[in-house]
Amino acid sequence: MKSRISTATEVLNSRIEKVWDAITDNENWQWRSDLQNLTILSDKEFIEYGKGGMEIHFTITKKEEYKVYGFTMDSKYFSGEWIGNFENLSDGKTKITFTESLVYKKLFLRIFATLFINLKAIQDVYMRDLKNKLNE
């Protein structure tokens, strides 16, 4: 099946440690406007509960401090992968690049998602929430 891929890049006015901590700390997820809850299953697995009720199971596959954070995702509608790359810039800023790749489990979902679900807009909400969390 064909996957949908979306990449977002942002330069933040925060030190890499602060950005890393905000993104990887699943115990403090409340800054995310798209979530209603998050359950930590282990140090490698967690479930996000979206405001619309969707549950997504995550398994962390890469976690190299201040460099890369990655996981697989699985829901009843899609599966996929998310990878975040972190770059420490010389002026105390941080460049982040997130790439999300999704495969929808049924043909009609792929068609519906292509027409009505904007992955870039979802990433934009995440970036806006992250900037708010970082007081930017």
Side-chain angles (χ1 to χ4, degrees), residues 88-135:
N88 192 14
L89 302 179
S90 60
D91 54 0
K93 295 181 180 182
T94 303
K95 180 179 178 183
I96 52 175
T97 303
F98 301 149
T99 301
E100 189 167 3
S101 174
L102 300 179
V103 175
Y104 293 92
K105 295 184 175 180
K106 300 202 181 284
L107 176 61
F108 79 90
L109 289 172
R110 189 173 22 179
I111 293 167
F112 177 83
T114 300
L115 295 173
F116 298 108
I117 298 175
N118 183 339
L119 286 181
K120 186 68 175 147
I122 293 168
Q123 288 176 320
D124 289 346
V125 167
Y126 183 91
M127 291 294 191
R128 182 199 68 217
D129 289 349
L130 179 59
K131 286 179 178 181
N132 287 338
K133 165 75 174 163
L134 298 169
N135 298 313

Side-chain angles (χ1 to χ4, degrees), residues 53-64:
M54 183 185 302
E55 294 181 23
I56 305 172
H57 184 270
F58 295 84
T59 302
I60 298 169
T61 56
K62 294 180 184 180
K63 193 171 183 181
E64 297 175 39

Side-chain angles (χ1 to χ4, degrees), residues 10-37:
E10 192 79 38
V11 173
L12 300 166
N13 295 316
S14 296
R15 294 171 34 95
I16 198 166
E17 297 86 358
K18 188 175 180 183
V19 175
W20 175 266
D21 290 345
I23 291 170
T24 61
D25 181 4
N26 287 327
E27 290 183 15
N28 295 299
W29 56 268
Q30 295 81 2
W31 57 271
R32 301 261 316 270
S33 67
D34 59 333
L35 297 183
Q36 67 180 7
N37 202 356

Side-chain angles (χ1 to χ4, degrees), residues 72-91:
T72 58
M73 303 175 279
D74 190 51
S75 78
K76 65 181 183 178
Y77 304 111
F78 64 85
S79 61
E81 182 177 39
W82 185 95
I83 190 86
N85 291 294
F86 297 73
E87 184 180 345
N88 192 14
L89 302 179
S90 60
D91 54 0

Side-chain angles (χ1 to χ4, degrees), residues 26 38-47 57-60:
N26 287 327
L38 188 146
T39 301
I40 298 171
L41 303 175
S42 72
D43 62 339
K44 297 270 188 210
E45 295 180 83
F46 59 97
I47 299 173
H57 184 270
F58 295 84
T59 302
I60 298 169

